[in-house]
Amino acid sequence: MRAQSLVPAAAGATLLAFTTASTAAHPREPVRVEPVSRVSRVSAADLLDKLDACEPVSRGRYRTDADAPADIPVCGTQDAVFWKADIDIDCDGRPGSRCNHTTDPWFWPSTAYKQSDGRYLNAETLPFIVVPAPSGIWDHRAHGVGAGSVAAVIHEGRIQYAVVGDIGPHHLIGEASYATAKGLGLRPDPRSGGAPSGVTYVVFKNTRVTHIEDHEEAVAQGEALVRKLVRNE
């Protein structure tokens, strides 16, 4: 069962800290990648083959749920970090017809990061993933991951491009927005949707879309980055 992405009791102070930290999440200038032609897409199978071996970059391991074993490491390559987990549905952020207090018992009307106009993200329409809060297990910021980092989420032959848009509990991993799950062809219901396993999350180091809400740019960068990772171009 999904834990709330931001703990309400400390949401104000924590959100401020995360928002401030996001400006330091990219130690170098973000990698800018030119869009590639649609015909040059790399298959999900090719990408998974490239990520077959895990070189752990986390000091410990994560749980997918509070009562699940801690057996998921964050792995790394020169250009990306990745993990294999389940997918729980994050409906937090701006409320809508699909994501609100009625549809989601864990709903929280904010996300760790905001879009360029100052509003919180819309989980119904924006594909984004959730990364664990920095801890002794792993600190995503040390690997060039933060607000708007480009991600690819893989499930059963599909690739859904997304951005890093929210921060979750420090001990849990495997969560993405309503729109991410829908794009993967999964049931996006926050109560019972998602998938229990078989989901791979890839986040590219030192990347960032200009505006976190710009999904078109996330796709363009993501396709080029995946092509570069798989084909060493």
Side-chain angles (χ1 to χ4, degrees), residues 1-2 64-65 86-90 173-177 193-195 201:
M1 187 170 292
R2 182 171 70 88
T64 56
D65 298 287
D86 66 345
I87 182 168
D88 292 322
I89 309 303
D90 183 1
I173 206 165
E175 188 175 0
S177 69
Y201 300 77

Side-chain angles (χ1 to χ4, degrees), residues 11 36 62 83 93-94 104 113 116 140 142 156 164 187 210 232:
V36 297
Y62 288 98
W83 56 91
R94 297 208 315 275
D104 181 4
Y113 305 118
S116 58
H140 58 271
E156 293 189 350
V164 172
R187 188 164 181 261
T210 305
N232 297 315

